[in-house]
Amino acid sequence: MVVAHPSAMRRGAQLEPRARAAPVIPISGLSKTKWAAGHFNVFPLPLLHVIAAENRFELDQRAWGAHLELAAPADTTTLDVTRRVACLSPEGVHLLLQRLVHADTRAPIRLDTLAAVFAPKLEELELLESWQEELVAPVIAQGGDVAATLSRAAEAFEAFVASASTQNGESIRALLDDPRRASEARRLVAAEIRRRRARDA
Amino acid sequence: MSIQLQEGTLAEFIQPNVNPRAGGTKIDFGDPNIVVYGAATAGKSRSINFPVGPLDVYNDLTGFMGAYVPNPDVRRSTGYVGVIPWIDDAYPGKAEARITFVGALEGFKVLPVQVPLFLWHTNVTPVGELAAARRYTTQARVAALHEIQRQLDKEKAAFAQRSIAMVVTELTDQLGMSQLVLARALNVSPTAIRKWRRGEAARPEHRDALASLGAFARVLEHHVHDPAGWIEIPISGQATVTPLDLFEAKRPDLAVLFAAGVSDPDETLTSFVPDWRERFEPDGEYEVVRLKDGSRSAVPRVEGHH
């Protein structure tokens, strides 16, 4: 399981050569109450087998968890997008980061504080996912190579969000960094997706 | 439009037998844009039944938020009732207002726009006036919440007619609402939102919640420039609660009241949960700062440092 925080695992449109990852293994003796009070080196994934099944992967119905004590850099070239079993929700990302910080430092950081730190990045990743879904899916449906098509689309997205998109010369990324203007960024990205889809139709 | 009234007894402004409401009387204020009807029961007493009057005003003036404060003392003694100044201020161009008076007209006066303080306070103590204002504010708040709920229900019905994919697309692409926000507001995964966007079916309770969210956004558009951004901003610097939290807690009406400027942050949050200061206190240990490279970081708060 990749446990690197969203800002640390990407450089532009591409993944960093290495990202921190932790092994996912069955954890025994874990419960809701015990998790909250201890087991600081474990990040439980209680519904992993359910989510995996939704994504057409078969996993035993066991108490899975990421063993953070064994987290180490992993070569990102070994990550296969077609083998992604599950993906954390934004709240899950915040919980994981909270757990990681606490496991490493014993400093308890509130979830809303972590959410405020990572909000622009998660927003950008959400827009990237929409971009991929709207623009890449039709290409892959016609037989395009998944990894290569996703990579090209990610580069196009990176170029778009980094370039000036408003009359004042602000980029999408700059707008996303301002909570009062993030919605403007989303509208601009949605309009660009529509424009590209119409162009490619 | 400016309304200039003459000072005199209410009876002087009455033209009998014009009010379409049974038993009512049209009160002519000398301005064709303003028509006020009074239903008078002359000669019996000199009381005014305000539970009828102000509520009738709310019904006819959609979104009424004026400062029409009935003077409780006029029920008991000779007094004065100011009924007009807020119409022009709050509703420029409003063509018609209907106010129902129940009670005797004789002895009451319609005051000019600029009410002399000595006249207004003839029969009212400041404490009595404040008490009346508070009573009236409570009534007005109830009426405003009722009206907001009506607007929300109307918009929700319209959203419920559309396909779920259309609603999701409208909220995200047109209003700029985050899919993460949609997922949070409806208590579903972001993946579910994406599936709905692609046209996959949703459960009835999720369709209902999505229509409510659409209605919430549409009603907010009347009051704030950018509802999609506004709902994610904390209502007060003293709490972490956002308008989106109010929606999640099934109290979008409180958020709309706040958006309309009728409730201040304290009032809004106290209506939500009285102990909001304790329950939703901002992080006192860490604060989010921007580093030199533009990224954000959580750092321990330093006393006196902002």
Side-chain angles (χ1 to χ4, degrees):
Chain A
M1 175 181 178
V2 176
V3 296
H5 72 71
S7 303
M9 61 186 295
R10 291 172 72 230
R11 181 181 296 168
Q14 305 303 326
L15 292 175
E16 293 279 5
R18 283 171 293 280
R20 195 179 183 197
V24 175
I25 57 177
I27 308 287
S28 58
L30 206 55
S31 67
K32 282 183 182 178
T33 51
K34 288 179 181 173
W35 173 63
H39 292 85
F40 295 138
N41 287 322
V42 173
F43 185 72
L45 300 164
L47 294 178
L48 182 59
H49 65 283
V50 176
I51 305 299
E54 289 178 5
N55 293 327
R56 300 188 182 87
F57 290 94
E58 278 190 31
L59 279 184
D60 292 341
Q61 185 178 340
R62 300 183 66 175
W64 297 97
H67 208 305
L68 303 180
E69 204 171 36
L70 301 177
D75 184 348
T76 55
T77 58
T78 62
L79 299 176
D80 181 355
V81 69
T82 63
R83 297 286 303 158
R84 190 171 68 179
V85 175
C87 188
L88 289 175
S89 67
E91 291 79 8
V93 171
H94 301 148
L95 280 166
L96 171 63
L97 293 171
Q98 184 187 51
R99 201 70 174 169
L100 277 170
V101 171
H102 192 264
D104 290 345
T105 68
R106 291 297 186 267
I109 312 286
R110 282 176 38 162
L111 290 174
D112 58 329
T113 301
L114 288 169
V117 170
F118 293 106
K121 184 56 68 178
L122 289 179
E123 284 278 1
E124 186 179 321
L125 292 175
E126 183 213 351
L127 292 174
L128 171 61
E129 195 170 346
S130 293
W131 182 282
Q132 301 278 34
E133 197 170 70
E134 298 277 342
L135 299 175
V136 172
V139 179
I140 293 175
Q142 293 174 1
D145 177 75
V146 175
T149 311
L150 284 172
S151 178
R152 276 197 304 274
E155 284 174 6
F157 178 80
E158 171 66 24
F160 180 67
V161 297
S163 63
S165 295
T166 70
Q167 290 182 336
N168 296 329
E170 299 153 303
S171 69
I172 298 289
R173 189 164 280 149
L175 295 179
L176 286 174
D177 203 31
D178 181 351
R180 289 173 172 78
R181 303 193 65 190
S183 59
E184 185 181 346
R186 294 182 206 116
R187 284 192 291 268
L188 287 169
V189 171
E192 180 66 10
I193 290 173
R194 284 197 301 274
R195 189 187 71 77
R196 290 181 185 235
R197 286 199 70 159
R199 181 197 65 189
D200 298 340
Chain B
M1 182 178 68
S2 176
I3 306 166
Q4 296 296 328
L5 301 178
Q6 296 176 353
E7 187 173 347
T9 62
L10 190 57
E12 291 174 6
F13 298 99
I14 294 174
Q15 296 177 356
N17 305 318
V18 182
N19 188 359
R21 298 184 175 195
T25 306
K26 180 181 179 182
I27 307 170
D28 185 355
F29 289 100
D31 187 315
N33 291 310
I34 299 295
V35 180
V36 177
Y37 293 103
T41 311
K44 291 185 178 177
S45 70
R46 293 195 298 180
S47 65
I48 292 180
N49 186 348
F50 280 104
V52 174
L55 288 176
D56 203 36
V57 172
Y58 306 154
N59 290 338
D60 285 351
L61 290 179
T62 301
F64 169 72
M65 295 174 289
Y68 173 50
V69 180
N71 175 355
D73 287 351
V74 299
R75 303 177 189 178
R76 300 190 294 273
S77 63
T78 302
Y80 302 93
V81 186
V83 293
I84 284 304
W86 45 264
I87 292 179
D88 187 40
D89 293 338
Y91 295 90
K94 178 71 181 176
E96 190 176 347
R98 292 191 179 89
I99 302 169
T100 301
F101 291 96
V102 177
L105 300 177
E106 187 180 357
F108 289 95
K109 290 185 176 182
V110 176
L111 300 180
V113 175
Q114 300 300 324
V115 181
L117 283 179
F118 74 92
L119 197 58
W120 179 242
H121 290 289
T122 299
N123 296 301
V124 188
T125 67
V127 173
E129 193 169 358
L130 179 60
R134 287 197 166 181
R135 276 197 298 276
Y136 181 76
T137 300
T138 303
Q139 290 177 343
R141 184 181 172 80
V142 170
L145 285 170
H146 181 76
E147 170 60 18
I148 288 168
Q149 193 56 56
R150 189 192 65 77
Q151 291 175 13
L152 289 169
D153 290 344
K154 181 182 170 189
E155 292 289 347
K156 182 180 174 180
F159 273 102
Q161 298 297 315
R162 298 175 212 164
S163 74
I164 197 157
M166 279 179 66
V167 177
V168 170
T169 303
E170 180 173 339
L171 292 177
T172 56
D173 292 11
Q174 292 179 25
L175 286 176
M177 202 175 278
S178 161
Q179 292 190 58
L180 302 178
V181 164
L182 261 70
R184 200 183 120 197
L186 276 58
N187 197 23
V188 297
S189 69
T191 307
I193 302 294
R194 294 188 180 282
K195 287 178 179 174
W196 298 343
R197 188 186 168 96
R198 290 197 297 265
E200 293 189 27
R203 295 215 299 259
E205 63 266 30
H206 291 147
R207 289 183 59 91
D208 185 74
L210 188 64
S212 294
L213 183 62
F216 181 44
R218 280 286 174 238
V219 172
L220 283 176
E221 277 189 314
H222 296 300
H223 306 292
V224 297
H225 169 65
D226 178 19
W230 185 83
I231 60 173
E232 295 185 71
I233 308 289
I235 291 169
S236 163
Q238 298 175 46
T240 58
V241 181
T242 64
L244 183 62
D245 293 318
L246 298 184
F247 175 83
E248 285 186 74
K250 313 286 186 203
R251 291 308 307 269
D253 52 340
L254 292 179
V256 176
L257 212 57
F258 174 58
V262 179
S263 289
D264 62 26
D266 279 20
E267 197 177 3
T268 304
L269 294 169
T270 302
S271 299
F272 178 44
V273 281
D275 59 344
W276 57 271
R277 284 186 175 83
E278 294 76 36
R279 286 177 59 182
F280 302 105
E281 188 180 17
D283 192 345
E285 299 288 323
Y286 291 86
E287 63 181 332
V288 178
V289 299
R290 194 180 302 279
L291 304 179
K292 285 181 180 175
D293 66 357
S295 65
R296 297 183 187 188
S297 181
V299 300
R301 284 188 188 275
V302 179
E303 201 169 328
H305 171 259
H306 298 287

